[in-house]
Amino acid sequence: MEEVRPLLAPMCRETVHCGPAGSGVLMKLAVNLYLTTTIAALAEAVHFAGRQGLDLETFRAVVDSGQLGSGMTRVKVPMLAAHDFTVQAATSDAYASTRLIADAARAAGIATPLLDLSSGLYGESVRLGNGRLDMSSVLTAIEARTDTAPEPPRTDAAPGPAAD
C-alpha cells in the first residue's frame, strides 16, 4: 500500500486503507449503495417539491442551509430542477452498480430494502432511454410513475365520525 500511495496521489484527494484483499471492493459497493439511494431520494424530494408548487431554488436553499447540504446537493438539486441530465455518472452504470450490490448482499444474507427500491427506479430510467444520461435521470422514472398513477378517489361529502 505504501509503495503505490505516491502513484495514486495525483488521482486521489485521499487514499484510505480498507482492510485485507477484497475489502476495497466491498467498501466501494457500500459507498455506492449510499450514493444511489441518496440520489434517488433527492430526486423524489425535488419531484415532490415541484409537484406541490414549491419554488425549487428555495428548496435548494433550505436543503443546503441544514445538515443535509453537501457538495452533492449543491450540484444535483439545480440539475434536477432544470432536468439537466448532463452525465457525471451514467444511469446505466448506477443501475449496474445496484445490481452488483444486491448480488453481494444476497450472497451474504443481507437485506437491502432501500437499494431494491432504488434499483427498480434506475432500471425504469434506463428503460425510458436514459442509460447514458446522468444518474439523476432517475427523476424521470419517478415522474413517469406519477403521470401514470390512477386519480385518487374523490370524496365530495363531508367526513363523518371515525369508524372503528
Side-chain angles (χ1 to χ4, degrees), residues 44-65:
E44 186 171 341
V46 167
H47 176 68
F48 177 84
R51 293 289 173 112
Q52 291 290 349
L54 298 174
D55 178 73
L56 294 180
E57 179 56 30
T58 303
F59 172 81
R60 184 211 51 80
V62 170
V63 169
D64 286 343
S65 70

Side-chain angles (χ1 to χ4, degrees), residues 34-126:
Y34 179 58
L35 173 66
T36 56
T37 56
T38 300
I39 294 292
L42 186 60
E44 186 171 341
V46 167
H47 176 68
F48 177 84
R51 293 289 173 112
Q52 291 290 349
L54 298 174
D55 178 73
L56 294 180
E57 179 56 30
T58 303
F59 172 81
R60 184 211 51 80
V62 170
V63 169
D64 286 343
S65 70
Q67 64 186 5
L68 297 176
S70 67
M72 182 173 53
T73 60
R74 284 184 278 286
V75 170
K76 295 297 186 187
V77 171
M79 289 177 71
L80 287 161
H83 281 79
D84 174 5
F85 304 128
T86 303
V87 69
Q88 295 172 331
T91 303
S92 59
D93 294 340
Y95 179 56
S97 183
T98 64
R99 304 313 321 138
L100 290 172
I101 298 162
D103 290 347
R106 299 306 167 263
I110 300 169
T112 55
L114 295 177
L115 175 79
D116 298 341
L117 293 169
S118 297
S119 182
L121 289 169
Y122 285 107
E124 289 172 34
S125 185
V126 168

Side-chain angles (χ1 to χ4, degrees), residues 8-19:
L8 296 174
M11 298 179 284
C12 305
R13 182 179 57 188
E14 185 176 347
T15 56
V16 178
H17 184 262
C18 295

